[in-house]
Amino acid sequence: MQVQRVVLNSRPGNNGEPSPENFRLEQIHLTSDLEDGQVLVRTLYLSVDPYMRCRMNEDTGAGYLASWKLSECVDGGGVGVVESSRCSALTEGDVVTSFNWPWQTHAVMMGGGLQMVDPQMVDGHLSYFLGAVGMTGLTALLGVREKGRVTKGANQTMVVSGAAGACGSLAGQIGRLDGCAKVVGICGSDEKCKALVEDLGFSAAINYRSGDVSARLKETCPAGIDVYFDNVGGATSDAVIEQMNKGGHVILCGQISQYNKDVPYPPPLSDKTQEILQSRNITRERFMVLSYMSKAEAALFELSQLVKSAQIKVLETVVNGIENMGVAFCSMMKGGNVGKQIVKISE
Ligand code: NDP
């Protein structure tokens, strides 16, 4: 069978912005004769995520992530349907997911490496397995729970950066459900600010591209900031930390403003910010969702319930076609997405 796949065409360089030309679409022949244990899957949805930026470098700088090889098929989170199976645990029609799904319209994969999922968990909205009821949801929920120390009734103010993105939009809603008195989002456009306040129930939102973030934080968080879910790092995070209260908590989830720079992760803080953290006894612990996989099953169940009961609203930006993987990735890296960026590969 003829299938389409996306390979890494070139690297942006450790200090460069990725471009769609870093990816190349190819047509290949796929032998659909299966060996024992293998399944043929049709890809439904693929995910593009910020961590992929370091997979584009020759050296990812992270031991748990392998770099993509030039001219080889790129992979990441994906969900699809089994079309034929020689794996005893899977049959035709099963919906499966993996974190190492090839960017390919159909693929032959080992059944043992796939996770079967129940479409009822997402009311048939299968792309949610890559977002709110998948890794993204886990990152938001477990990040808040493990590192945020949110306490009901404690009148806490939470700030979320990257707030209109996949993790941020969920983290803010979870902070509110878990008991924060106020949740303020920081994001990159007025349209996103509107969605945060009007659709997702954030108390206020700040556009970091157009406003004075420090002044707007003073207005929207008059009692100071107790919990900060940090997705972006850089100047935005310096401004937030400057207004944090004693004994506050920074959830160090990501630092996307630094991903196109040749700096280690997490990037070093300025002396001033470091001094604020120390003198105010603010915790800033790195959160890595992969370290909490023993809690994933229960957390996914909870996320499924929260989404199905509409206590959490899910935003997605969906692009069609495998030929648009590179475009979708680069757009997400520059803020083109509201909520989770998904690429729909087939019906
Ligand atoms: P998003 O859906 O949030 O997409 C990325 C967003 O980042 C863009 O929409 C853009 O929104 C924002 N952005 C891009 N450049 C900048 C910049 N220079 N300054 C501020 N914001 C910027 O992606 P995810 O939700 O998947 O990931 C969010 C963060 O969470 C990332 O840092 C990622 O690495 C991290 N992460 C961490 C995990 C962990 O285990 N710790 C697991 C998964 C994700 P805008 O319009 O607002 O600029």
Side-chain angles (χ1 to χ4, degrees), residues 183-315:
V183 178
V184 174
I186 306 178
C187 60
S189 76
D190 291 344
E191 179 209 354
K192 290 182 180 186
C193 286
K194 193 163 176 271
L196 290 183
V197 175
E198 292 182 6
D199 303 333
L200 305 187
F202 280 61
S203 320
I206 299 170
N207 177 350
Y208 72 89
R209 289 186 207 270
S210 70
D212 174 343
V213 174
S214 296
R216 290 282 291 124
L217 282 169
K218 282 211 173 74
E219 276 167 40
T220 55
C221 307
I225 298 156
D226 303 295
V227 182
Y228 174 39
F229 194 104
D230 187 4
N231 282 312
V232 308
T236 296
S237 293
D238 288 338
V240 175
I241 290 169
E242 198 173 1
Q243 296 190 37
M244 285 187 75
N245 293 326
K246 275 198 173 136
H249 305 289
V250 179
I251 303 157
L252 177 48
C253 177
Q255 303 274 283
I256 195 169
S257 72
Q258 309 297 306
Y259 290 176
N260 292 327
K261 297 181 187 166
D262 190 8
V263 290
Y265 187 89
L269 292 172
S270 69
D271 289 348
K272 184 182 168 194
T273 299
Q274 193 66 54
E275 149 65 18
I276 292 172
L277 292 175
Q278 258 157 23
S279 62
R280 296 186 201 163
N281 203 17
I282 297 167
T283 65
R284 179 175 178 268
E285 293 167 359
R286 183 172 176 184
F287 172 74
M288 283 261 303
V289 69
L290 293 176
S291 306
Y292 296 90
M293 284 300 115
S294 61
K295 300 191 175 179
E297 194 179 336
L300 288 171
F301 180 76
E302 182 176 353
L303 287 160
S304 153
Q305 299 299 312
L306 289 171
V307 170
K308 288 215 270 189
S309 61
Q311 291 180 78
I312 283 185
K313 292 199 184 132
V314 180
L315 301 177

Side-chain angles (χ1 to χ4, degrees), residues 18-31:
S19 78
E21 291 70 42
N22 293 135
F23 300 94
R24 184 173 79 235
L25 187 69
E26 286 182 353
Q27 189 110 341
I28 56 154
H29 179 78
L30 181 73
T31 323

Side-chain angles (χ1 to χ4, degrees), residues 39 82-85 87-95 116:
V39 294
V82 174
E83 290 204 328
S84 57
S85 174
C87 166
S88 56
L90 293 171
T91 53
E92 195 185 323
D94 285 344
V95 178
M116 185 158 72

